[in-house]
Amino acid sequence: MSKIKIERLDDRQKKDLAIPDAPRPQGPWSVWECKPSTFDWHYDRTERAFLYEGKVKVSAGGEQVELKAGDFVTFPKGLSCTWDITETIRKVYKFES
């Protein structure tokens, strides 16, 4: 199984992916917000997300990554993980087959 992939995109890459300028539904992108909390999650499909605000540590299979505003993240299909949100998250996301 692939690991969580974190990227920093330039303006051209954001435009090519049609990522909204602000956290609002646009095209294939949906909005998700969550206050500080800890919970388990499983990805049945690959998720791609862009974080506008917040901080979260995601732990999976001995790997831990910290995500923050400006990160573009790919969570692979089949990933089971724990989210530990320390600052309210606002992101757009889309699922891929």
Side-chain angles (χ1 to χ4, degrees), residues 7-60:
E7 302 173 79
R8 296 297 272 194
L9 304 178
D10 62 30
D11 289 340
R12 180 68 184 166
Q13 291 169 308
K14 290 178 196 174
K15 184 177 179 182
D16 290 347
L17 291 167
I19 295 173
D21 292 333
R24 65 176 178 270
Q26 179 176 308
W29 298 99
S30 298
V31 177
W32 186 75
E33 181 176 322
C34 189
K35 295 182 189 244
S37 57
T38 301
F39 57 89
D40 294 328
W41 192 254
H42 178 79
Y43 291 89
D44 292 328
R45 295 182 285 167
T46 296
E47 178 186 313
R48 299 182 91 187
F50 181 80
L51 279 70
Y52 293 91
E53 297 175 21
K55 285 187 182 175
V56 58
K57 289 181 183 175
V58 181
S59 303

Side-chain angles (χ1 to χ4, degrees), residues 45-90:
R45 295 182 285 167
T46 296
E47 178 186 313
R48 299 182 91 187
F50 181 80
L51 279 70
Y52 293 91
E53 297 175 21
K55 285 187 182 175
V56 58
K57 289 181 183 175
V58 181
S59 303
E63 173 188 26
Q64 183 179 61
V65 296
E66 184 170 86
L67 309 175
K68 60 190 177 310
D71 287 342
F72 181 70
V73 187
T74 302
F75 299 99
K77 178 181 178 177
L79 178 74
S80 292
C81 59
T82 300
W83 279 59
D84 182 11
I85 300 172
T86 56
E87 293 179 18
T88 298
I89 291 288
R90 294 186 77 201

